[in-house]
Amino acid sequence: MTQHHRIRVELGERSYDVVVGRSARSLLVELIPEGARRIAVVSQKGIPLAAEIVDLLTAAGAHAVERIDIGRDETDKSLGTIGELCEKFAELQMTRQDVIIGVGGGLVTDVAGFAAAVWHRGTRVLHVPTTLLGMVDAAIGGKTGVNLAHGKNLVGAFWQPAAVICDLDALDTLPERELRCGLGEISKYHFLTGDDLLAMDLPERIARCVRIKAEIVSSDEREGGRRALLNYGHTLAHAIETVGGHSLAHGEAVAVGIAFAARLARILNRIDDARVEYHRTVIEDVYGLQTRAPAGLEVGALMATMARDKKALNGLTFVLDSPHGLEVVEKIDEDIVARTLDTFLA
Ligand SMILES: NC(=O)c1ccc[n+]([C@@H]2O[C@H](COP(=O)([O-])OP(=O)(O)OC[C@H]3O[C@@H](n4cnc5c(N)ncnc54)[C@H](O)[C@@H]3O)[C@@H](O)[C@H]2O)c1
Ligand SMILES: [Zn+2]
């Protein structure tokens, strides 16, 4: 019997388990909430685990199982897709007692979760994340939603799943670039905890990341404070993605953003050189990711984009490291950021 890690996301009566391990899908059937008669498995073409999940549920024989595939492009994370899914749920005569299962990366679980949140004003959803990013980030914590032409994740809901199953077998078929993206997010967890993640094997490390995210979500479900720490590296990352026309994937940009945040923290005398070097070691040596931004990005364009995204009225907001761990730092002088960025890009 394979060993699984089981992590509880504590949210009162909405608490749920996240199971992490090889073959964790074998636990899916027993985690399906009682009272369900139909199951809609929302996935995409090209995700081998989805067919296995459908077979497993069908073989268990307790439910009518239907698979619905959505598109694979980020533009498919749309209200149009939510509409199509709901039409399909209607055809299948899904009721509030039935269950939706999202099997895929963050795109699928964001869409399946949001569709579940609005179908009959809230239907139970389980997530089976099949990307590394989905396992350590997107599928956990109940943020669901879709994009508009005006921007990402503008329409959504907090809708916690009934369970999350991280079956590590899914990673065997994941393209290398997608794996790298997950590693970018995992590298941020090294700085969110005092634990030595490096001493753990990958399943244990993934489980630890889930535990950190679970613990932060439990203490701050709606991002009033601590949950913002999960945005470590993301201020510059979003600007690099926007200005660079998405030449770097999200996780790759996060890795660069974390390296920059370390540099900025050093300039602001919050951390020492050794801690900056530890950032480089984790990102480059451990995860094989780049800490340098791609050539050709202009400081002015990055600054303008970050200023547009900012929440504070004066200066910029960054999550920065300190001897006591990560902190959200507001109103950082834009000149200092621009000068640090100038040397960082050089
Ligand atoms: N809700 C949240 O808290 C949260 C957090 C982070 C990111 N997100 C969202 O997640 C999305 C990105 O998620 P992602 O990085 O997982 O990318 P993704 O969902 O777009 O998946 C990337 C690609 O990998 C394929 N794929 C997925 N699993 C596979 C597998 N096991 N084998 C082979 N191919 C597989 C997918 O079909 C897709 O083509 C974004 O829309 C982002 O906004 C949400
Ligand atoms: Zn991210």
Side-chain angles (χ1 to χ4, degrees):
M1 173 85 195
T2 333
Q3 174 117 40
H4 297 127
H5 299 268
R6 209 179 249 263
I7 297 119
R8 188 98 179 136
V9 183
E10 290 289 350
L11 287 164
E13 58 187 20
R14 291 171 299 124
S15 298
Y16 56 96
D17 282 345
V18 182
V19 185
V20 180
R22 285 250 171 218
S23 314
R25 62 187 176 284
S26 61
L27 299 175
L28 180 61
V29 172
E30 67 187 63
L31 287 169
I32 303 229
E34 278 180 27
R37 289 170 51 219
R38 294 180 182 75
I39 297 177
V41 174
V42 178
S43 190
Q44 288 166 327
K45 292 198 170 54
I47 301 180
L49 194 67
E52 289 194 41
I53 299 274
V54 170
D55 289 348
L56 207 121
L57 293 167
T58 309
H63 308 93
V65 185
E66 202 61 50
R67 172 170 172 172
I68 311 170
D69 283 335
I70 62 170
R72 296 177 60 151
D73 199 83
E74 186 65 29
T75 56
D76 293 312
K77 192 172 133 174
S78 66
L79 284 170
T81 299
I82 297 297
E84 287 167 19
L85 278 178
C86 290
E87 296 287 355
K88 195 80 195 175
F89 297 158
E91 273 170 38
L92 297 171
Q93 299 182 310
M94 299 266 298
T95 71
R96 255 194 112 211
Q97 309 317 317
D98 292 328
V99 168
I100 295 162
I101 304 183
V103 182
L107 196 160
V108 167
T109 54
D110 277 12
V111 166
F114 186 50
V118 295
W119 178 249
H120 283 218
R121 301 193 180 84
T123 301
R124 289 164 302 184
V125 65
L126 278 77
H127 292 314
V128 182
T130 60
T131 62
L132 188 53
L133 184 136
M135 293 180 189
V136 299
D137 201 353
I140 299 152
K143 278 193 188 175
T144 73
V146 297
N147 307 326
L148 296 180
H150 275 90
K152 271 181 65 97
N153 302 324
L154 289 178
V155 183
F158 283 96
W159 188 246
Q160 298 293 343
V164 179
I165 294 186
C166 304
D167 188 326
L168 302 183
D169 293 350
L171 302 179
D172 296 344
T173 60
L174 193 65
E176 195 178 324
R177 190 161 195 205
E178 299 301 337
L179 202 58
R180 274 212 304 280
C181 276
L183 295 176
E185 297 288 353
I186 287 194
S187 62
K188 91 186 168 196
Y189 288 102
H190 283 254
F191 309 99
L192 269 157
T193 167
D195 291 9
D196 186 7
L197 293 180
L198 298 183
M200 304 172 184
D201 61 15
L202 189 65
E204 199 184 345
R205 209 179 286 175
I206 292 173
R208 188 65 189 109
C209 293
V210 168
R211 200 178 292 283
I212 296 165
K213 175 137 191 194
E215 194 258 312
I216 290 179
V217 167
S218 299
S219 69
D220 179 22
E221 186 182 6
R222 289 174 179 250
E223 194 157 335
R226 275 190 80 213
R227 191 162 177 168
L229 298 180
L230 292 167
N231 296 331
Y232 194 38
H234 282 60
T235 308
L236 181 62
H238 288 148
I240 289 176
E241 289 180 85
T242 305
V243 175
H246 297 269
S247 69
L248 284 194
H250 177 68
E252 295 171 327
V254 169
V256 175
I258 293 173
F260 175 71
R263 187 81 77 86
L264 185 59
R266 176 72 192 89
I267 297 288
L268 296 171
N269 278 318
R270 300 171 55 88
I271 57 173
D272 60 18
D273 289 337
R275 186 70 177 166
V276 178
E277 174 58 17
Y278 177 66
H279 278 75
R280 194 203 59 74
T281 304
V282 167
I283 297 165
E284 287 188 359
D285 301 349
V286 179
Y287 292 118
L289 299 165
Q290 291 281 337
T291 53
R292 287 181 67 85
L297 292 173
E298 284 180 7
V299 174
L302 293 170
M303 289 298 296
T305 306
M306 289 194 285
R308 232 183 294 128
D309 285 351
K310 77 184 177 185
K311 296 195 182 106
L313 287 176
N314 310 302
L316 293 168
T317 302
F318 275 83
V319 177
L320 291 178
D321 201 8
S322 82
H324 337 281
L326 298 186
E327 296 169 341
V328 177
V329 186
E330 294 177 339
K331 299 183 184 169
I332 303 173
D333 188 327
E334 291 188 23
D335 287 341
I336 294 178
V337 177
R339 264 186 276 127
T340 310
L341 202 46
D342 210 27
T343 54
F344 182 75
L345 294 178

